[in-house]
Amino acid sequence: MSNERRIKGKIRYLIIVPIIMALILMGISVFMFGPYSRKGLICLLIIAVYIILVIIAYIRLMPVINSTMVEYALEQGKIQNELLRELAIPYVILDTDGHVMWANSKFYETIGVRDKKHIKKPIDAYFPQLVPSVYESGERMEMDIEYGDRLFNAQIRRVDLTNVFLEDKSEHKDDEIVIAVYLFDETELRNLKKENEDQKLVAGLVYIDNYDEVMDSLEDVKHSILNALVDRKINMYLSNADAIVRHIENDKYFCVFRQKYMQMLKDDKFALLDEVKSINVGNEIAMTLSMGLGMGSDNFIEDYEYAKVAIGLALGRGGDQVAVKAGDQVTYYGGKSAGTEKTTRVKARVKAQAFEELLVGKEKVIIMAHKRPDSDAFGSAVGVYRLVTSLGKKAYIVLNEVTDAIKPVVSTFNNSNYSDMIINSEQALGMVDSQTMLVVTDVNRPSMTECEELISRVTTVVVFDHHRQTNEAIQNATLSYIEPFASSACEMIAEMYEYMSETPKLRQQEADAMYAGILIDTDNFLVKTGVRTFEAASFLRKSGADVTRVRKMFRSSMTELKERAEGISNAEIYMNSFALSYIDQDPESDDAPTVPVAKVANELLNVVNVKASFVVTEADNGILYVSARSIGDINVQVIMERWSGGGHANVAGAQLEGKKKEEFFDELKAVLKEMYESGEI
């Protein structure tokens, strides 16, 4: 039914309704007065005359009504056509191939074509985003498009002309389809929004990472000179961002600047980091600083809180970098250096005393490390176990899987003294009550712990870790001791022993486990080893650790030696600086060769010109294990973060699900090239 027929049908009601009502009145008259009474006949006669008059009126007025409707429709069509043509919003009707069927004056004006001129080119010649495939994606859609220096919000509607007046709106193959496009100019609105965003304030905290260490290495008379130079560098750099800078402590600054300068600082990759490191007035150690910037909130107090979180993340990752927190998103810049070892033990003493105070009100402690634990994870857990039990508290270590990496160490605890030391996740969850403390060692990412559910179930959580922090961190920790400069978690725990109210007495196998953790994480004291590392090792040696006994634990099997040889033979050198290799899993073994992978990564650093190595292996469970090692200035942790990994500047790794080694190496090469060319590594 056409629209015209529908309207005519409604007009017929003008005669049908009165006639029906008249017939009803006839029936009522007959019923009330009878068919032959005088009153009844008079009523019937009057009603009959009424019906005749209505019919005559309909017959005579119908042509006039039709004529009036046609004239009105024509006038309305002209008005609508004129309104559309003069509409202040560009409007165009296209066919399904994108050719212009009709457009209003504003559209012609927008694309710079003379009004009413036939446009032969398809619409995507002017707006490349409006390709025909876009029209097929749905009945209604909208998208942002650009033309010249203008930005438009395009609202697109697919119209079926064949079915426009039908109740069945479904589209059929032979239907006549057109595309209606409205272009709303949002250039001014976007500019105003951007200007509003640019005027928002950014809160910043600037901390000098190694102030005390640098000053201790410098003559007293030069302290004021170094302070003045650093102060001048910071003020000069931030003055480019029109910032207000205040020196709040010897090694701390506070700054405020408008958000529009953020892109400028990002473009030069926060050159202040390198400028400060270049200052030399005779100091043996290069001074480094970290920045935490908070932005993105409508409340400046909240931005300041973001800045405090950001500076904490920057320092937790080793310093010498900038952390920018905008809402829930955190971005890092810099962080190329491995950091400077802290010689002071003040932090270790404070954390040890705080830990001992927390233990006073607890009856038992559950200790856990990361999944597939290594020697450092198990050794540090054993160290905490002895700390806790020496204070008369019950302690348990959560261990779901005894990997090849820790099997030699764990086997030394198979005696009656440690019969209830090791438990699994289910047992740990069953022990939780209000008097339980949870200690997490060698990891600070919830998703990588042995039992993530424990973190939310236990009210008192303590974290001891030496890995650089990522965006994912344990949020509800009562006490957090994260020291990225430490070689291992075992080193951190060993230092804490000296500051307990009563120094715990380590048993022989416990000292061996902790010594093994330091030995493996430092690759026999070759990687990330400082003065405090040797002091911790010395303490463990005095406590009964035997170097020869530990070495025997970690001698390689012939199978492992062959796997390492395979990894070295599979290696390739990329960009003359990076060694890439892989080890295939032994089909007769249930475990992926993760230990040989780490050892191969270490050995490849002995190759001339190799600055970093990346070795992978694929496990049967579909996980790709990546070990990354570096020597020099390459920060492999920053690289591994591209795949949600982490670790240290010189030792890092990642675990990838559902990814093949060929795919990973292609991605890795692209990332290495990009980061090398941009100066990030």
Side-chain angles (χ1 to χ4, degrees), residues 123 174 194 221 258 291 327 344 375 440 480 522 533 587 603 636:
I123 191 69
D174 298 329
K194 185 176 184 307
V221 294
R258 282 176 289 180
M291 292 180 66
T344 177
S375 296
V440 180
S480 182
T522 60
T533 309
E603 290 184 17
V636 289

Side-chain angles (χ1 to χ4, degrees), residues 206-366:
V206 182
Y207 288 7
I208 298 173
D209 302 323
N210 52 352
Y211 182 85
D212 293 332
E213 287 76 15
V214 173
M215 290 305 178
D216 289 344
S217 70
L218 191 63
E219 299 173 20
D220 291 345
V221 294
K222 294 183 179 179
H223 285 188
S224 57
I225 299 174
L226 183 58
N227 279 327
L229 288 173
V230 172
D231 193 84
R232 185 171 182 273
K233 286 282 187 185
I234 293 173
N235 279 278
M236 287 287 290
Y237 180 81
L238 292 175
S239 67
N240 295 325
D242 198 19
I244 298 174
V245 184
R246 288 293 177 268
H247 195 171
I248 53 179
E249 290 184 36
N250 286 339
D251 58 346
K252 295 179 177 64
Y253 294 80
F254 171 73
C255 64
V256 180
F257 57 90
R258 282 176 289 180
Q259 199 165 296
K260 71 176 183 179
Y261 293 105
M262 272 298 299
Q263 193 57 48
M264 178 190 73
L265 300 179
K266 290 178 181 179
D267 290 342
D268 74 357
K269 301 186 185 300
F270 294 90
L272 178 63
L273 300 177
D274 293 326
E275 291 179 14
V276 170
K277 278 190 286 189
S278 67
I279 299 174
N280 191 332
V281 293
N283 45 301
E284 298 174 3
I285 304 172
M287 185 170 278
T288 64
L289 59 77
S290 297
M291 292 180 66
L293 302 177
M295 56 182 282
S297 170
D298 294 329
N299 187 337
F300 183 69
I301 295 176
E302 192 170 345
D303 285 335
Y304 178 65
E305 293 300 321
Y306 287 166
K308 290 198 290 186
V309 173
I311 194 65
L313 289 170
L315 294 173
R317 290 163 53 86
D320 187 31
Q321 58 194 283
V322 178
V324 180
K325 181 171 173 59
D328 295 331
Q329 184 179 3
V330 182
T331 311
Y332 300 100
Y333 300 87
K336 293 186 285 184
S337 66
T340 306
E341 182 194 13
K342 301 285 187 181
T343 56
T344 177
R345 292 190 177 188
V346 174
K347 192 174 183 180
R349 175 177 58 80
V350 171
K351 299 297 182 180
Q353 293 173 353
F355 179 58
E356 190 170 359
E357 289 174 5
L358 286 174
L359 279 172
V360 172
K362 302 298 178 183
E363 293 181 357
K364 58 178 174 289
V365 176
I366 297 174

Side-chain angles (χ1 to χ4, degrees), residues 104-129:
N104 69 353
S105 302
K106 192 65 178 179
F107 179 82
Y108 283 102
E109 179 186 331
T110 300
I111 64 173
V113 176
R114 184 163 46 86
D115 195 5
K116 298 183 181 180
K117 181 180 179 181
H118 179 61
I119 302 175
K120 297 180 180 179
K121 297 179 181 179
I123 191 69
D124 56 9
Y126 301 96
F127 302 96
Q129 298 96 324

